[in-house]
Amino acid sequence: MLHLRLIVPADRTDEVLHLLERTLGTTHLVVMAGAARDPAGDLVLCDVAREAGDELISALRRLGIDKSGSITVENMDLTLSAHADKAEEDAPGEGADAVLWEELTEATHEESTFSVTYVAFLTVAVMLAACGVMLDNAILIVGAMAVGPEFGPLAGISTALVQRAPRLALRSLYALIGGFALAMALTVGFAWLMDALGLFTRSMIEADRPNTAFIWNPDAMSFVVAFLAGIAGTLSLTSAKSGALIGVAISVTTVPAASNAAVAFSYSDYHQMTGSATQLLANLGGIVVAGTLTLLVQKALWKAHLRRTGLVANPSGE
């Protein structure tokens, strides 16, 4: 279930209440006249089944409530109510299959910000992976994969393509390309420092390294694995099952490939650098393609379900 907190101008309250009462899956409706001060208006509270949430939020935005008042949506982990049970039964489809596009757009917008924190996480991940590739230590590689925050911008690009949101696409591309470029540049400096301290040596980068050699030797499976990981990651975002993202993070070699490219560059090993860069691009491309296709399929399936059940996009029934 989702909990909606709306601030509605007093002259629009009846219109909003009509919309809420006509929406299948809505319950626990509360109206507090004149309770809101900034912006001024009535406070309207309600719960709605997740599968009805996207259509309702879209309808509220068409009424302009997000501009004249406010729309706040919260996920509810537990609701003990017979009315809530009935609302979920009345709503079309299953909550796990429903995509809240506004929530997804907002989440990917936040995760696609080129911020100090984002760059710090990505840089630490790439440097940690650099230690892993030089020591041929798979455990360090896995740890670096889990730390990397790059799935946010990748999901942002997929969302932007499906939602036709050019500003989100540019923001995500900037965070992705700029973040990796800066992280790799700093990792080159890190490799030079480690070499000066005697902790990295040319013999380490030239060794066979059987545990991590796959990083600079991309093949068709690199794209396949990234494609499958992109599907899983997108489903975890749209179904609010964020725990699956950890599995996605440690199944693709974006961060390790970036780190090996940086270290190889620091030792002028352009063969490994080129192979690692190819691996990086294959993984990034696979995730974006898979994420975009997954969102398109989810959108098409949900629209088809609404048509089968006789429901239209406007939940007011008008």
Side-chain angles (χ1 to χ4, degrees):
M1 294 289 289
L2 302 173
H3 179 67
L4 270 63
R5 184 175 74 249
L6 312 174
I7 295 179
V8 184
D11 60 342
R12 306 295 302 279
T13 300
D14 288 342
E15 189 176 7
V16 169
L17 291 179
H18 176 71
L19 170 64
L20 296 176
E21 290 169 347
R22 295 288 297 273
T23 301
L24 291 176
T26 302
T27 187
H28 302 155
L29 181 60
V30 177
V31 181
M32 302 175 68
R37 292 291 180 267
D38 185 19
D42 299 336
L43 180 63
V44 179
L45 309 174
C46 72
D47 296 336
V48 61
R50 182 180 176 85
E51 50 268 42
D54 188 65
E55 299 298 324
L56 176 57
I57 294 168
S58 297
L60 289 168
R61 294 197 66 180
R62 287 195 293 271
L63 292 177
I65 303 304
D66 56 323
K67 295 180 174 61
S68 59
S70 75
I71 304 171
T72 302
V73 184
E74 300 174 350
N75 284 294
M76 301 172 63
D77 295 327
L78 177 64
T79 304
L80 302 177
S81 166
H83 290 86
D85 294 340
K86 185 177 186 305
E88 290 188 319
E89 291 175 1
D90 292 341
E94 296 293 333
D97 296 333
V99 179
L100 296 179
W101 291 101
E102 297 293 340
E103 179 186 52
L104 180 62
T105 301
E106 182 64 23
T108 52
H109 182 275
E110 292 180 3
E111 295 295 327
S112 302
T113 302
F114 187 80
S115 63
V116 173
T117 301
Y118 168 79
V119 172
F121 268 114
L122 187 56
T123 301
V124 169
V126 175
M127 289 182 178
L128 183 61
C131 296
V133 296
M134 292 297 276
L135 297 173
D136 196 31
N137 189 316
I139 295 177
L140 288 177
I141 294 295
V142 171
M145 290 176 176
V147 172
E150 72 278 9
F151 191 81
L154 292 169
I157 294 171
S158 295
T159 303
L161 291 174
V162 174
Q163 292 293 88
R164 300 178 183 177
R167 293 184 63 182
L168 177 58
L170 291 175
R171 183 189 185 95
S172 301
L173 280 172
Y174 177 66
L176 185 68
I177 297 173
F180 267 111
L182 183 55
M184 291 170 71
L186 292 172
T187 301
V188 171
F190 173 72
W192 285 336
L193 174 63
M194 295 292 281
D195 182 80
L197 295 174
L199 297 175
F200 284 2
T201 64
R202 178 174 292 276
S203 61
M204 296 171 71
I205 192 71
E206 294 176 349
D208 290 338
R209 292 181 286 161
N211 292 325
T212 55
F214 68 93
I215 293 173
W216 66 89
N217 292 305
D219 54 22
M221 286 302 298
S222 300
F223 183 86
V224 171
V225 171
F227 187 86
L228 295 175
I231 295 174
T234 303
L235 289 175
S236 72
L237 286 178
T238 57
S239 62
K241 298 184 183 296
S242 58
L245 282 176
I246 297 298
V248 173
I250 62 177
S251 62
V252 292
T253 54
T254 50
V255 165
S259 69
N260 199 78
V263 174
F265 176 82
S266 71
Y267 284 101
S268 301
D269 188 335
Y270 300 119
H271 172 70
Q272 279 199 42
M273 184 190 73
T274 302
S276 299
T278 303
Q279 179 78 269
L280 175 62
L281 293 175
N283 278 266
L284 294 177
I287 292 173
V288 170
V289 170
T292 303
L293 291 177
T294 300
L295 291 175
L296 287 172
V297 170
Q298 286 182 293
K299 195 170 189 177
L301 289 176
W302 190 253
K303 286 185 176 179
H305 173 76
L306 292 179
R307 288 194 295 269
R308 286 196 306 271
T309 55
L311 297 174
V312 293
N314 183 359
S316 67
E318 297 176 352

